[in-house]
Amino acid sequence: MKVGFALLMAGTMTACTKNNDGITPQAHDDNVYQQIMHANMTQMNAMKMTGDADHDFAMMMQMHHQGAIDMANQELKAGNDQTMKTMAQNIITSQTTEKAQFAQFISSHTPTASSAGQAFDMMAMQDMDKMMKAQDTRILTGRSDVDFAALMIDHHQSALDMAQNELKYGTVNTMRQMAQKIIDEQKTEISQFQDWLITNKPY
């Protein structure tokens, strides 16, 4: 029985190896998109939070958007798939505009700390940590289109999470409206990235 079990396991392992032919994971430290994200996360971790939900949402989303823009620029530079390049350009266009709106709000708003704001800050940092863990466990291929699509799903999800926390804790209408806009737009884009990955079957 033991010999039979050993042979069965050996056959299973061989089958798994054959099924995995063609998959050559890239080390995360070597992946340009991971490098962009880790640099962006380092900057976000260095931010001085104010304890004001609306102000800190604007600061974090402004920097978060920059990470998406940097990734999208890399896709335009290195990608081959026209659908992904079009999505990258759309991200650059929309999030550059939103960055300017966040910057305008930050410059005209005096932050006031509150318990709600502190709760937002705690949840926002948890969202960032969740995003990095999700990205750190993804299989990366070194193929720009595939890695851009996969990692942008996680990146967009963290933006959704932060925007939902802004709706929960924020009080300024302009920021709440921007949070809802982010939720609506990025839910759609997550679905588009997922559909592309399913259709192209990168793994």
Side-chain angles (χ1 to χ4, degrees), residues 10-21:
T12 301
M13 291 176 67
T14 301
C16 289
T17 300
K18 288 181 180 178
N19 288 339
N20 286 337
D21 283 348

Side-chain angles (χ1 to χ4, degrees), residues 95-149:
Q95 297 199 18
T96 297
T97 299
E98 289 175 2
K99 266 192 65 184
Q101 292 171 329
F102 285 128
Q104 183 178 16
F105 173 77
I106 292 166
S107 67
S108 63
H109 181 257
T110 301
T112 302
S114 67
S115 58
Q118 291 167 352
F120 171 86
D121 291 348
M122 181 181 68
M123 294 300 296
M125 295 314 296
Q126 289 178 3
D127 293 338
M128 292 297 97
D129 183 59
K130 183 172 71 173
M131 176 189 71
M132 293 310 298
K133 285 180 178 177
Q135 295 193 335
D136 284 342
T137 56
R138 278 201 181 270
I139 296 174
L140 301 178
T141 66
R143 294 161 53 194
S144 183
D145 301 310
V146 172
D147 295 344
F148 172 69

Side-chain angles (χ1 to χ4, degrees), residues 84-104:
M84 287 299 98
K85 290 168 79 73
T86 298
M87 289 194 70
Q89 185 58 63
N90 289 342
I91 286 170
I92 292 168
T93 300
S94 63
Q95 297 199 18
T96 297
T97 299
E98 289 175 2
K99 266 192 65 184
Q101 292 171 329
F102 285 128
Q104 183 178 16

Side-chain angles (χ1 to χ4, degrees), residues 30-46:
D30 295 335
N31 186 274
V32 64
Y33 291 105
Q34 279 291 79
Q35 292 168 2
I36 291 170
M37 283 308 307
H38 281 291
N40 187 246
M41 191 64 187
T42 297
Q43 292 177 326
M44 293 185 75
N45 282 333

Side-chain angles (χ1 to χ4, degrees), residues 4 28 81 105 116 127 143 146 151 171 176 178 193 200:
H28 278 221
D81 183 87
F105 173 77
D127 293 338
R143 294 161 53 194
V146 172
L151 294 177
T171 59
R176 290 174 57 84
M178 288 196 71
F193 282 125
N200 288 272

Side-chain angles (χ1 to χ4, degrees), residues 186-202:
Q186 298 200 16
K187 273 186 178 179
T188 299
E189 290 180 357
I190 285 174
S191 180
Q192 291 170 339
F193 282 125
Q194 290 171 332
D195 288 343
W196 185 88
L197 285 168
I198 291 169
T199 299
N200 288 272
K201 295 180 173 58

